[in-house]
Every structure is written in C-alpha cells, then in structure tokens.
Amino acid sequence: MKLTLWTYEGPPHVGAMRIATAMDKLHYVLHAPQGDTYADLLFTMIERLPKRPPVTYTTFQARDLGADTAGLFKTACQEAYDRFQPQAMLVGASCTAELIQDDPGGLADGMDFPVPVIPLELPAYQRKENWGASETFYHLVRKLAGAHAPPPGSERPPREPGQRPRCNLLGATALGFRHRDDVTEITRLLQQLGIDIVVTAPLGATPADIARLGEADFNVVMYPEIADTAATWLQRTFRQPAVKTVPIGINATRQFIREVAELAGVDAEPVLASEASRLPWYSRSVDSTYLTGKRVFVFGDATHAVAAARIAVHEMGFDLCGVGTYSREFARDVRAVAKEFAVEALITDDYLEVEERIAELQPELILGTQMERHIAKRLGIGCAMISAPMHVQDFPARYSPQMGFEGANVIFDSWVHPLVMGLEEHLLGMFREDFEFHDGATASHLASEGGHAVSRPTAVADSDAAAAADTVNATASVAVAEATTPATQTDTAAAAQDMTWDDEAQQELRKIPFFVRGKARRNTEAYAREQGLAEVTLDTLYEAKAHYGNR
Amino acid sequence: MSVPGCAKPAAVPLDVIRERGQREVFCGLTGIVWMHRKIQDAFFLVVGSRTCAHLIQSAAGVMIFAEPRFATAIIDERDLAGMADMNEELDREVKRLLQRRPDIKLLFLVGSCPSEVIKLDLQRAAERLSEQYMPEVRVLNYSGSGIETTFTEGEDTCLEALVPVCPQPPADAAQQLLIVGALPDIVEDQFRRLFDKLGIDNLAFLPPRKSSDLPSIGGNTRYLLAQPFLTATADALNKRGAQRLPAPFPFGAEGTTAWLQAAATAWGVAAETFREVTAAAEQRARSAVARYRFQLADKSIFFFPDSQLEVPLARFLHNELGMQLCEVGSPYLHKVHLAEEFAMLPADVRLSEGQHVENQLDRCIEQAPDLVVCGLGLANPLEARGIRTKWAIELLFTPIHGYDQAGDCAELFARPLIRQDKLAV
Ligand code: SF4
Ligand code: SF4
C-alpha cells in the first residue's frame, strides 16, 4: 500500500482508452463500476475532444456481484457491437473487475463476433497508464497486422525500383503531450525527404489500417513509451527496422533526419540545409547571454525528460541540476542522460519526493508536468511544460509541436518565457539580495498574468511593483507569502533606519527602474553602513554597484 | 404541507422510465472534493486503487493549491497476497499521515470498489485505529465505492458515519432544529439568521465546520434535509429518534419558503411572524430569479442522472422560470424525501431513474432540448452537436440554496444560453 496525493499516471486501462480514443472504428468494452466512467472527461474536458471515447462500461453494482456480472459483460459487448459496428473490439477489465475474475476475453471470444476481438490483460495493481497504452497497441498490432505476417525467417523483398520509400509513424495517442501537432510536423518532414507514410497509428488509424502496417519499409517510433513494444515485434515479424531517435530539439531532429534518410536511401542534405528553425540563431543572439548557466530541473516521461535535458544543456546553454522521470519502464534512458551530465537521476512517481528534490535543488527553471507546475508555483520558481500529465491549457489552440524544427521554435519560446529577461537579470545580479528578486521570483513581464505567477509579500517599503504583482491570485499564493514573510520583515526593518542621500545620489537613484529602486536603495545603504558612512553620495551608489555587481 | 411524523408519501408521478445499462455517473468518492473543504479538521483517506486516486484528481478538475486533505492508499499486488499484511500496511500509512498532519482531528477511511470486493474490513480498521489515536484523532469509515454509491451519495455515507458519534442530548433538552447536508458557509449563515428571526435558535448543522462541533442528536431533534440525496443519513438520524420535517428542498423562492415553513410549523411560529421574516427575502429572490426569465422561459431542459438534485432543480426551473421539462433523470428517486417535490411538478413530467446512457442520449438528441444538464464526460460531445449543456458537478461547487442564491442558481442555467446568443463564430 502506498500513500498517494497526486498521481502522474492513471491506471493501465486509461492507457488502453488513449489508444481506442485515438483510433476510429475500434470499440473498447470495459468491465468496470460506474465511477470509472470519469475517464471519459479526460478526453472530453481536458483534451476537449468533441466525441465520447469509444468505450462501453458495464457499470456493475454491488448487487450484481453475487449474481451475474459475466452476463452483464456479455450484454454490454453485444449492445456495443450492434450499436457501433466497429471493425475490431478491445475487451478488458478495470481494477475492480480484475478482482472478480470474469475473464472478459474468454466471454467475448465465446460470442463469436464477426470482427477481431482483442482481449487485454492489464494488471491494475502493478502497472500504469503508459504501460497499458503500450500493451494495448502491441496486442492490437499483433492481432491485426499479424494476420498478414510473412512466414517466419523470410527476408523482406527489396523495394520495387521507382517506388518511393514508405514508413509508418507509430505512437501518437489521444491525451498525448502535443501528439497531434508532432504528427503534422513529422509528416511534413518525411514528405520533404521524399518518404511516404503508409499508416500513422494509433492516432487517426482504423483497425484496417493497423492490418496494413507490414507494407511499410520501416517504422518511426515517435513515442517509445507507447510504441516501442509494437515496433520491436514488427521488426521481428516483418523485418521492418525502426527509427528510434526522437526528434525533439535541433540536434535530435538533425540526427533523426540522417537516420531516416539512411534507412530510406534518400539524400538528407537538402532538408538539413534548409533547416527552418530559429532556435540556433536565437540561442546565439547576444540577448540570450542571460540564459547562460541557468539552473534547470527536468522531470517528465522518459522520452521528453531525456530530450529536454539535452536541449537544455546543448541548445539553450543552461546548467542541468537534476533530471528525473515517473516512467520506471524507461528509467535506464534517464539514468544514462543523468550520467552524461553528471547529475543524479530521480526515478519516482511520488509527487512529494519530486517536490522535496526541487526544494532542495532550488533551480531557476523547472521543465516538468502539471505536477511540477504546482510545485513551481508553491516554491515560486518559473516552470515550462514538457510532458504529460497535462491540464486543459496544455492543449493550446495554436499549432505547437515539440518535434522537428518548428517544435524547437516552440520549445525555445516556451522555456524562455517564464525566465527573467536580460535587463532585469543584470539588476538582479547587482541587487541580488533583494527579497523581491530572490531566485524564485517571477519575471516582471509575468507578474500580471494570473495563472502561474507568484505574488510577492505585501510588506514592502518602496513598491509600486509589489502592488502590481500582488493582484495576482491571492488565494493561491497564501502559502508562498507565508513562507517568505519572515525574511521580508527583517529586510523592511533594516531599511527603516534612516540614511541621508545627497541630491546627486538621489537623482541617480530615480533613474533606476522603479521595480528595483527599493532594492538599489537598500543595498546602497547597507553598503554605506558597512563602510561606516553617514551619507550616500553618487560615489557610494556606484561603489555599491561595484560591490554587488558581479555574481 | 404534511405534519411532521406522518410522512405520507404523495403519489409518485406515473411516467417514470426505469432503465438498466451503462451509468455515466461518478462514484461516491467524488464527494470528497467538497467534503474535505467543508469539515476543516478532517482528512479523507481512500483505500483503493490508482483508478480511485485518478478519479478524485480528475473530478476535482483543478488541483488544489494547498496540500489537500485527502489522499489514496493505493492497494498493490503485494497487498492482495494476504489480508493480515494489508491491515499493517494501512496502520503504517495512517501513522505517517497523522505525523505529517498533526492538525487532523477526524480521519475517514473511505472504502472503494477494490477494498469492498476484497472485503477489507475498514470498519474494524477504523475502530482499531480510533482506539489507538483517540482522543487526539477519531477514525471513522464509510463507503464511496462505485458499486455502492453514486456521486453525491458519498456525502450521504460520510454523514451517516458521523451520526453514531454525535453526542446524546440531555434528557430535558429543548427541541432542536438540525439542518442536514453540506452547505457553503455563507449559506449556513444566511439560514441561521432567518431561523434566528423565526425564534428557532436551537439550531445545528450536520456536517459541522469542525469535527469538535458535532451536534447532539436525539428525540428532541427535528431535522430538515438541505440536500435530496441523504437517504442513509436520514435513516441513521431516525434511528437516533430524530424526526424529519417533510419539505421540498430550499431551491428557489418557493422551495426555500416551503422549507422554512416546515420548521416554522413544527415550532409553532405564528403565520404573521413567518411572513414578516420571509416576505422581503422571498421577494428579493423572486426578482433576482425574474432577471433570467427572459432567457429561460419556454426553453426546454433535459436532465441526465447525476447529482440527485435533478428533481428539485427541475421543479424550480419549471415553476419559477417557466422552463419546459423534457426528461428529468436521476440516479435514484427517493419516494418519501421527494414526495413534496413530486407534488409540485407538472403532472405530465417524464422522470427517469437509473440509466442506460446510450438510449438516453438517443432520446435526448431526438428531443433536441435547449439545455442539457449532464456530467463532464457528456457535455462537450453534446455541445459539438449544437446542444447547450450545464455541468451537473458545478451545482455542488456553487452556492445555490436559499433565497439569496436563487438568482445565482438561475444564472447558472441561463449562462450557456446567454453565451450562445453572444457567440458569432
Ligand atoms: S468506481 Fe470504484 S474503482 Fe472506480 S474510482 Fe470509484 S471507487 Fe474507485
Ligand atoms: S494551477 Fe494551473 S495547472 Fe494547476 S489546475 Fe490550475 S490551471 Fe491547471
């Protein structure tokens, strides 16, 4: 038994639902009590899908338990088949039905449906959502494509001359982090390379499409968490090699292009030469200097965490201070990247552990999931999303892939956004003890944004800025405000002791942007006091600047 | 108005569709989402699966910024191997939890489908843990499982669990009025003021805001249900000798007046006093509601079964706003508790109990109502078909009881239609 406040992944049958909902003409009959129908809202509310997931729940009740839950299941199967006329059906049990052992697979098998029925055994007390999705996709592929498998041991016939190379795009699901846009981006990229796509699956595929997977020359595994198992089986069965580089980030995209081109026997150079991303230039642009050495913490599913870690270090010039994942199945990849960058890997699905690690590391930016967004908010640290689980706002209306060259643009923008900007950064360096500009404070351009900005304590002396920031999300920031109050009070107390400024110094002070003026005053006065000066002059101001100016 | 003590069920309207099939309703665990805010020193520990944890987190819609006062002890395969082990595991998790949260005075162990199917005895566990932690922490248990409870019934089973630990009143205690059902604090305060003016000052609420303020319950207790889904709680109260005051539910001007009247009658409040106290507030409610008549009058509404608030709300929307009732579905129709409501509904209303969601969707789409009240899973798919919807769960998170919320309640239903008129895309 394990105490859980928030969970990164749902149960494995939710993974199966992500496959079923991504596809057309497939129906899932799930032996489950009524409360489990909540899962529909993940798709209709969070992803805002305009259709119900193609799932029929048996919704058995306590009074059915002694009676005929198996009969209920059979009725549900029959009604679902009659009503939805799917090309194939998935049948399985949720956690509760697993305990009553009705054997949905066996029951459905006995009903002789004229379409393939794929029984799913997804152990709910051991496994979780992504595994459930992967397992479901694998069984679907095995059953439907397997019917067209060549005799074991036979070689793949060479491509007909004149035939363009063809591949499948595997792994995109419903409720995936930017899966829909990634598919568009990668499809475009492959087209540029002169490669045709046979099937994109599961997203948008029908069972009949799945049956055609064997026609492609090779597979592109977009999301290993979902499609690795199926791709491995396809490789074995159809001798289809798989591209396993995940094209998130510039370097990974370049490598992906080379890898795909080589498998397809096409020339990568024209596409590489026409590279359409601003990330490399933006990162080199002089104003990005302030990104240098920002300490970032990365947490997400393994694929996105690994990609984010590499981008952070190589493409943004950040310092990685920690990386982790909740996908235990892919922990090895995350451990490897952690080793590469000499940080500790955090492999856990315990939200509290992640929170503790972040609090300990005090990064300047968190790249994470919805959970880390909450942690970030609580700790007053900037945060950008890189992975599921997500909230409704992480399904943006605009095109925003993570993969390919456009994905790199999106990533650059969304990671830089939560950070303090260049000028502010300098002032921060100069007056770094300012409680308003402690490492966790939100950038001033975010202060009025509602959602995720952190409001600052109100007990501030000289502060038009604080007033503006404090309109933000009063309830949500209570905890933060409480946490920072003691420091505030000391600061304010110190500032209260008067120190005279001569005219020149006062005028100079007014030239400093209002949002750091209070800090400038305080630092300068502190410096003057330290030096045993009775009055602040222009010189004192600049001496103080020199004193605090460098990190 | 019937007299307390002789609750004679009014005739149930004839046209009730009773269906069995897929139910698209949350389970009782959902109640935790509002109950954990209501009782400020209580913690809800679900003993269940990852599904249960995921349900509460998803039903809450947003994550709560403060550390929530609920959690799930997730059963895993090791637990399923042996029961003795499982109780130890539970004890360990409870210990950790209480160390972490010394502010907690009342801990609910909440049963789920998995804990019930494997027959984990949470009552015994609660007794054992109570013995260990009393007087600092009381441990109770109830079921929020989907095989036993739907959506709001989780509040019912939670309150039911509180009744036995409510103190006995002294033998000579004066007649006491108990309001049963979780209400927003502001609504409680409004009702308290009204009852006060009526001269009913021996007043208590179940649940209380703090577990240390549990009301006494006994033969001197007359109670008003503030929510229509409190079947088990009412039974438990009756067992303690308390008597229910039959009344419609306090939604809208009419419902609120009748609800207050039931208490006033039982307390022998003079008719004049009653009018004096309620007339102005009732008038205020009527004008607040009237503002939305324009949008809602003659519009048709279809209720999918969800919160069990459907019947009283349908009555309010029909009687005070002139809406046409297509179908009023409810997970459960309590013949006695709803008797006064039934009597106020139009005679030809079509009710449905239970659910076969596919058939019901067929009926709904065929009737093309102007507004549908349904759960979160159905709302967007209906919107995509051009049917405006109101999420039922919002009715539990928004103050809608009493005179001063009657206008807000009407506005909740008007908003989707107002929005429809505004949008030109
Ligand atoms: S229906 Fe049962 S298994 Fe599902 S979430 Fe509710 S209590 Fe848990
Ligand atoms: S705080 Fe942000 S992430 Fe959390 S629920 Fe609210 S909007 Fe979603």
Side-chain angles (χ1 to χ4, degrees):
Chain A
M1 223 178 255
K2 177 128 179 41
L3 200 70
T4 307
L5 256 54
W6 306 111
T7 149
Y8 283 92
E9 292 181 74
H13 72 260
V14 167
M17 286 182 68
R18 288 175 54 190
I19 304 296
T21 307
M23 290 181 56
D24 288 327
K25 300 199 165 64
L26 175 68
H27 200 89
Y28 183 16
V29 181
L30 181 64
H31 208 14
Q34 61 188 350
D36 293 11
T37 60
Y38 81 88
D40 284 359
L41 81 85
L42 303 171
F43 301 92
T44 64
M45 296 302 289
I46 297 181
E47 193 172 7
R48 292 193 179 94
L49 290 188
K51 60 162 194 178
R52 289 167 66 212
V55 181
T56 295
Y57 306 81
T58 55
T59 62
F60 56 85
Q61 294 172 279
R63 60 167 186 226
D64 302 318
L65 287 182
D68 191 12
T69 48
L72 259 179
F73 179 81
K74 293 207 303 202
T75 313
C77 274
Q78 190 62 53
E79 287 193 11
Y81 177 75
D82 294 344
R83 181 177 279 268
F84 299 104
Q85 297 282 309
Q87 289 177 358
M89 290 209 283
L90 301 169
V91 297
S94 77
C95 53
T96 308
E98 184 181 329
L99 297 170
I100 60 178
Q101 298 181 329
D102 274 337
D103 182 22
L107 291 171
D109 202 39
M111 295 177 71
D112 286 323
F113 288 109
V115 295
V117 174
I118 298 110
L120 299 175
E121 299 214 357
L122 309 175
Y125 299 92
Q126 298 171 31
R127 301 299 198 151
K128 290 175 287 181
E129 179 179 331
N130 277 339
W131 184 87
S134 165
E135 193 69 2
T136 303
F137 188 50
Y138 162 65
H139 282 288
L140 201 59
V141 168
R142 220 189 131 131
K143 175 99 176 192
L144 300 176
H148 309 278
S154 43
E155 282 306 312
R156 235 192 130 66
R159 209 160 67 221
E160 301 278 322
Q163 164 77 56
R164 279 159 58 104
R166 306 197 301 164
C167 73
N168 300 313
L169 272 189
L170 304 182
T173 65
L175 213 63
F177 186 67
R178 311 288 163 84
H179 286 195
R180 213 163 282 265
D181 294 345
D182 284 348
V183 164
T184 309
E185 187 67 16
I186 296 309
T187 303
R188 242 181 242 163
L189 193 59
L190 292 167
Q191 275 163 359
Q192 274 180 358
L193 284 162
I195 299 166
D196 290 339
I197 293 170
V198 181
V199 175
T200 298
L203 193 63
T206 61
D209 292 331
I210 303 284
R212 299 192 299 124
L213 284 174
E215 292 172 20
D217 303 321
F218 64 96
N219 290 309
V220 169
V221 179
M222 295 179 70
Y223 308 99
E225 275 89 344
I226 312 290
D228 218 20
T229 312
T232 305
W233 181 83
L234 286 166
Q235 179 146 24
R236 229 181 22 241
T237 312
F238 290 94
R239 313 259 155 191
Q240 289 171 319
V243 178
K244 293 204 172 167
T245 299
V246 178
I248 304 181
I250 293 290
N251 291 325
T253 302
R254 288 178 186 150
Q255 193 188 327
F256 172 83
I257 292 172
R258 287 196 195 96
E259 209 177 317
V260 167
E262 190 177 325
L263 270 181
V266 299
D267 186 6
E269 285 319 311
V271 175
L272 286 172
S274 70
E275 176 178 305
S277 179
R278 294 185 190 89
L279 185 144
W281 166 238
Y282 273 31
S283 249
R284 287 178 196 284
S285 153
V286 64
D287 70 283
S288 290
T289 316
Y290 77 94
L291 300 178
T292 316
K294 288 269 182 209
R295 303 175 67 249
V296 301
F297 178 83
V298 172
F299 197 87
D301 67 18
T303 301
H304 288 91
V306 167
R310 298 222 162 97
I311 298 168
V313 175
H314 295 311
E315 301 177 22
M316 305 292 278
F318 294 150
D319 277 354
L320 189 70
C321 65
V323 58
T325 185
Y326 56 81
S327 328
R328 283 183 193 279
E329 291 90 349
F330 290 79
R332 210 155 36 119
D333 302 348
V334 174
R335 288 212 175 87
V337 87
K339 203 166 156 211
E340 186 182 329
F341 297 123
V343 295
E344 207 182 320
L346 177 62
I347 314 295
T348 183
D349 59 356
D350 185 339
Y351 166 83
L352 294 175
E353 243 178 87
V354 180
E355 183 173 44
E356 207 176 297
R357 178 67 62 90
I358 292 175
E360 183 185 299
L361 290 172
Q362 283 294 325
E364 290 161 274
L365 177 67
I366 300 171
L367 303 172
T369 74
Q370 184 192 199
M371 309 294 173
E372 284 68 48
R373 175 154 56 207
H374 285 268
I375 296 170
K377 197 153 140 188
R378 210 191 263 266
L379 300 176
I381 301 173
C383 179
M385 294 283 294
I386 59 157
S387 161
M390 301 155 281
H391 199 32
V392 60
Q393 78 219 56
D394 304 308
F395 288 91
R398 65 180 184 277
Y399 180 59
S400 30
Q402 297 287 291
M403 291 187 176
F405 293 128
E406 182 58 23
N409 290 339
V410 170
I411 286 173
F412 183 91
D413 287 350
S414 56
W415 293 11
V416 165
H417 184 72
L419 291 169
V420 279
M421 306 297 282
L423 169 67
E424 203 167 8
E425 171 77 1
H426 290 301
L427 294 161
L428 213 156
M430 174 175 169
F431 307 115
R432 54 179 326 200
E433 306 305 310
D434 191 323
F435 64 90
E436 277 186 59
F437 288 92
H438 60 86
D439 283 357
T442 312
S444 60
H445 67 291
L446 299 179
S448 57
E449 272 200 358
H452 301 101
V454 175
S455 95
R456 298 157 196 188
T458 27
V460 175
D462 174 7
S463 67
D464 327 36
D470 274 321
T471 54
V472 174
N473 213 342
T475 17
S477 60
V478 170
V480 179
E482 274 169 9
T484 41
T485 304
T488 312
Q489 283 164 349
T490 2
D491 264 6
T492 321
Q497 292 169 24
D498 268 325
M499 166 80 66
T500 26
W501 288 59
D502 74 12
D503 282 353
E504 239 181 341
Q506 253 180 32
Q507 280 193 353
E508 200 70 6
L509 182 66
R510 257 175 244 130
K511 295 177 200 157
I512 295 174
F514 71 90
F515 53 90
V516 280
R517 200 176 300 142
K519 183 65 219 175
R521 181 197 295 279
R522 204 169 299 106
N523 273 0
T524 309
E525 291 179 354
Y527 176 81
R529 229 169 274 125
E530 214 175 88
Q531 302 294 315
L533 304 173
E535 195 186 43
V536 175
T537 65
L538 195 56
D539 280 342
T540 324
L541 181 63
Y542 282 104
E543 270 156 29
K545 178 177 189 294
H547 181 78
Y548 290 106
N550 223 331
R551 279 175 174 243
Chain B
M1 191 74 22
S2 35
V3 181
C6 55
K8 114 174 137 349
V12 179
L14 294 175
D15 191 13
V16 180
I17 304 169
R18 287 206 172 73
E19 279 184 312
R20 282 220 63 187
Q22 175 177 325
R23 302 163 69 108
E24 184 88 14
V25 190
F26 290 160
C27 59
L29 294 185
T30 324
I32 292 171
V33 177
W34 63 88
M35 293 300 281
H36 91 282
R37 287 283 139 207
K38 180 71 206 176
I39 312 177
Q40 291 159 17
D41 54 359
F43 194 100
F44 294 76
L45 179 61
V46 177
V47 182
S49 64
R50 186 167 304 280
T51 316
C52 308
H54 204 227
L55 165 116
I56 307 176
Q57 150 175 348
S58 312
V62 290
M63 284 171 52
I64 290 135
F65 186 72
E67 188 173 316
R69 285 189 300 268
F70 59 77
T72 309
I74 296 185
I75 298 169
D76 58 34
E77 40 168 355
R78 287 174 311 120
D79 300 315
L80 294 174
M83 291 291 285
D85 191 34
M86 217 155 147
N87 280 309
E88 279 168 31
E89 296 267 307
L90 183 60
D91 290 6
R92 188 195 61 220
E93 292 305 330
V94 165
K95 186 170 169 196
R96 272 183 44 190
L97 176 76
L98 293 177
Q99 275 167 358
R100 200 182 147 82
R101 300 295 303 256
D103 50 325
I104 296 306
K105 299 281 171 279
L106 174 62
L107 174 67
F108 287 105
L109 303 180
V110 188
S112 66
C113 305
S115 78
E116 278 162 26
V117 169
I118 61 173
K119 303 203 159 48
L120 179 61
D121 192 339
L122 289 184
Q123 181 167 354
R124 276 239 323 265
E127 283 164 11
R128 181 180 67 234
L129 287 162
S130 245
E131 229 161 77
Q132 194 177 335
Y133 290 105
M134 283 283 268
E136 281 77 30
V137 186
R138 185 197 289 283
V139 184
L140 297 174
N141 78 291
Y142 73 87
S143 166
S145 82
I147 54 175
E148 295 281 2
T149 60
T150 73
F151 192 19
T152 48
E153 285 168 356
E155 175 176 335
D156 184 30
T157 45
C158 174
L159 297 186
E160 180 194 15
L162 281 175
V163 173
V165 297
C166 288
Q168 281 290 345
D172 56 349
Q175 180 161 281
Q176 171 212 39
L177 179 62
L178 183 68
I179 308 299
V180 188
L183 291 171
D185 294 349
I186 184 167
V187 177
E188 259 182 40
D189 295 340
Q190 290 166 6
F191 283 147
R192 186 180 288 283
R193 283 196 294 272
L194 282 168
F195 285 120
D196 220 41
K197 284 190 206 154
L198 289 172
I200 305 175
D201 51 5
N202 192 3
L203 179 69
F205 292 86
L206 183 70
R209 297 179 199 182
K210 287 222 170 261
S211 67
S212 47
D213 296 340
L214 280 173
S216 68
I217 295 168
N220 65 326
T221 305
R222 304 283 173 277
Y223 67 93
L224 277 173
L225 294 178
Q227 300 281 26
F229 44 75
L230 299 174
T231 306
T233 309
D235 289 347
L237 290 168
N238 295 346
K239 265 193 219 122
R240 288 282 295 264
Q243 285 176 35
R244 187 177 69 90
L245 301 174
F249 293 88
F251 300 108
E254 182 190 34
T256 306
T257 300
W259 187 76
L260 294 169
Q261 179 70 66
T265 308
W267 258 255
V269 176
E272 255 162 67
T273 318
F274 186 77
R275 280 328 294 163
E276 228 165 75
V277 172
T278 56
E282 186 187 311
Q283 192 42 50
R284 200 161 61 225
R286 286 199 191 281
S287 18
V289 168
R291 214 171 316 134
Y292 300 99
R293 249 196 110 86
F294 173 74
Q295 266 96 22
L296 294 175
D298 296 324
K299 296 279 169 38
S300 55
I301 186 165
F302 190 111
F303 286 87
F304 278 79
D306 216 278
S307 62
Q308 291 190 38
L309 294 172
E310 294 85 4
V311 169
L313 288 175
R315 179 263 302 160
F316 164 61
L317 293 169
H318 177 77
N319 293 359
E320 295 185 39
L321 286 143
M323 290 191 85
Q324 306 288 329
L325 306 178
C326 295
E327 176 173 330
V328 182
S330 177
Y332 176 60
L333 296 170
H334 193 296
K335 286 193 202 65
V336 179
H337 292 179
L338 289 175
E340 286 70 23
E341 293 285 349
F342 289 145
M344 293 159 80
L345 281 174
D348 60 347
V349 67
R350 182 188 225 186
L351 299 173
S352 67
E353 186 179 28
Q355 191 173 27
H356 184 299
V357 71
E358 305 294 349
N359 292 349
Q360 198 171 25
L361 276 167
D362 287 348
R363 290 199 297 274
C364 175
I365 288 161
E366 196 199 309
Q367 293 172 41
D370 296 306
L371 188 63
V372 171
V373 183
C374 62
L376 296 169
L378 298 177
N380 262 340
L382 285 167
E383 293 278 350
R385 309 185 73 120
I387 297 179
R388 304 312 322 230
T389 60
K390 167 86 256 134
W391 317 333
I393 197 163
E394 214 178 342
L395 303 166
L396 273 303
F397 294 167
T398 318
I400 55 170
H401 291 75
Y403 290 132
D404 289 313
Q405 282 65 236
D408 303 342
C409 184
E411 195 270 345
L412 278 184
F413 292 91
R415 198 181 309 165
L417 300 175
I418 294 175
R419 184 164 179 76
Q420 166 167 282
D421 290 345
K422 277 184 190 281
L423 289 183
V425 292

